[in-house]
Amino acid sequence: AQSVTQPDIHITVSEGASLELRCNYSYGATPYLFWYVQSPGQGLQLLLKYFSGDTLVQGIKGFEAEFKRSQSSFNLRKPSVHWSDAAEYFCAVGARSSNTGKLIFGQGTTLQVKP
Amino acid sequence: DAGVTQSPTHLIKTRGQQVTLRCSPKSGHDTVSWYQQALGQGPQFIFQYYEEEERQRGNFPDRFSGHQFPNYSSELNVNALLLGDSALYLCASSFYGYSNQPQHFGDGTRLSIL
């Protein structure tokens, strides 16, 4: 079955500290991979995406993610967290061969930033 | 350039009622997908519309139906509302046939069932 697992439901980091959010997927073939962020009462904003090529992808707001095929993982990282990064983060996968664009999301990780 | 817009922002209904949610896609997009996001969960795919036809459907009952208009806007209809239908309903738009293009999401409609 196709699924996305985000093992950490809630993470708290201090402002200025580094951050890594984990994402593992189960899929028949290598999917397209995405990270979205959701602030309270808002929709989803795309942080970054992986389609092919370099397995380290850069996104907006200083975020990056690394695709590791052998581990079926796509972890999100940021070297120095800002208070404004507090939000809900979702990892998602989509089929390469499908025209439908259906995305499968993980349960999300809530990031809290301590001053 | 307007992004994805959804209306209404919030809605309160009672069990057994029917509801219609609306979505206008990002300018230039021709495909609309709907997702349900229950509290504390990730979004779940309901269905997708392209060329006024439902192209794919997730694991949702027939109480959930949709429509797409010639201008690409879309409606999500839910009949016989249940308490479990309380959720944030997200609309996303994209270009059909370009699964490598990210979907753009609206801010959602918060539906509360009493």
Side-chain angles (χ1 to χ4, degrees):
Chain A
Q2 301 167 348
S3 65
V4 176
T5 301
Q6 294 180 243
D8 305 305
I9 295 175
H10 192 110
I11 284 184
T12 300
V13 300
S14 298
E15 190 169 17
S18 63
L19 171 70
E20 181 170 28
L21 302 183
R22 296 182 291 164
C23 172
N24 294 94
Y25 64 89
S26 174
Y27 214 80
T30 301
Y32 292 140
L33 297 155
F34 307 86
W35 275 98
Y36 284 88
V37 61
Q38 185 177 39
S39 298
Q42 302 293 315
L44 302 174
Q45 180 184 22
L46 180 70
L47 285 176
L48 46 76
K49 58 188 184 291
Y50 173 76
F51 294 146
S52 63
D54 192 347
T55 57
L56 184 64
V57 294
Q58 303 297 319
I60 63 171
K61 304 184 180 185
F63 285 93
E64 67 178 25
E66 185 172 13
F67 168 58
K68 293 185 177 181
R69 184 190 307 271
S70 61
Q71 299 178 18
S72 296
S73 69
F74 188 55
N75 294 349
L76 181 71
R77 300 195 293 250
K78 186 170 185 177
S80 178
V81 170
H82 188 262
W83 64 266
S84 61
D85 293 325
E88 187 87 15
Y89 291 80
F90 293 96
C91 179
V93 300
R96 287 177 177 270
S97 59
S98 169
N99 281 326
T100 66
K102 170 186 174 181
L103 296 178
I104 299 172
F105 286 85
Q107 189 174 2
T109 298
T110 301
L111 173 63
Q112 183 179 359
V113 180
K114 294 189 301 184
Chain B
D1 180 20
V4 179
T5 58
Q6 294 186 242
S7 63
T9 305
H10 295 87
L11 206 49
I12 299 175
K13 293 286 187 179
T14 58
R15 283 180 298 173
Q17 285 189 312
Q18 178 265 343
V19 69
T20 298
L21 311 182
R22 296 176 175 80
C23 172
S24 292
K26 178 180 170 62
S27 178
H29 285 180
D30 57 10
T31 303
V32 172
S33 300
W34 287 92
Y35 292 81
Q36 180 194 65
Q37 185 180 15
L39 198 61
Q41 302 295 317
Q44 291 197 19
F45 178 78
I46 302 174
F47 44 52
Q48 184 179 71
Y49 276 83
Y50 169 67
E51 288 188 330
E52 303 179 46
E53 291 185 9
E54 184 182 292
R55 297 291 173 162
Q56 189 173 2
R57 188 180 185 91
N59 188 26
F60 279 82
D62 292 344
R63 298 188 297 109
F64 289 78
S65 64
H67 188 77
Q68 186 180 33
F69 299 93
N71 66 353
Y72 308 121
S73 66
S74 175
E75 289 182 349
L76 165 65
N77 301 294
V78 187
N79 295 322
L81 287 166
L82 304 174
L83 292 178
D85 295 332
S86 294
L88 179 68
Y89 288 84
L90 295 167
C91 171
S93 71
S94 58
F95 294 104
Y96 190 78
Y98 293 86
S99 58
N100 63 345
Q101 295 297 315
Q103 296 184 31
H104 292 251
F105 284 81
D107 287 341
T109 294
R110 173 72 62 186
L111 175 63
S112 299
I113 310 301
L114 303 179

